[in-house]
Amino acid sequence: MNLTITNPLVVETDPWIIVRMSSPSDAKYESDTRKFNGKLARVNVRTGADLALIRMLRYGIDYFAPATGDGILVNPELLKR
């Protein structure tokens, strides 16, 4: 996986994430912040290749939106080569 990552890699323990409460077909977007139990790595999507790779991942399983800060939070296992 060749994501543009922060250097050094930042792995966060039990970060706060944004969870979508409404279904994608609803016109109204409702969300909530929750604490994720576990570790997630913060990455920055900077290139088209990064974006293409992220689009293949499953939101809410492989990657999450952070409640604060830049980038996205991904499962650190995905960054192992």
Side-chain angles (χ1 to χ4, degrees):
M1 181 179 242
N2 294 323
L3 279 175
T4 306
I5 59 174
T6 55
N7 193 9
L9 178 65
V10 177
V11 176
E12 301 177 22
T13 303
D14 300 333
W16 286 90
I17 59 171
I18 298 173
V19 178
R20 184 174 185 156
M21 304 302 289
S22 58
S23 70
S25 61
D26 289 347
K28 185 177 179 182
Y29 181 85
E30 295 178 11
S31 64
D32 191 17
T33 56
R34 296 194 180 155
K35 193 171 196 176
F36 179 84
N37 294 322
K39 294 184 178 184
L40 294 173
R42 188 174 296 263
V43 299
N44 295 315
V45 179
R46 295 188 179 163
T47 66
D50 289 349
L51 182 59
L53 188 65
I54 291 298
R55 290 182 59 127
M56 290 189 297
L57 302 178
R58 298 165 294 178
Y59 180 77
I61 298 171
D62 297 320
Y63 74 97
F64 302 87
T68 60
D70 294 335
I72 60 172
L73 298 169
V74 299
N75 182 339
E77 295 295 318
L78 296 175
L79 300 177
K80 291 184 178 178
R81 295 179 189 231

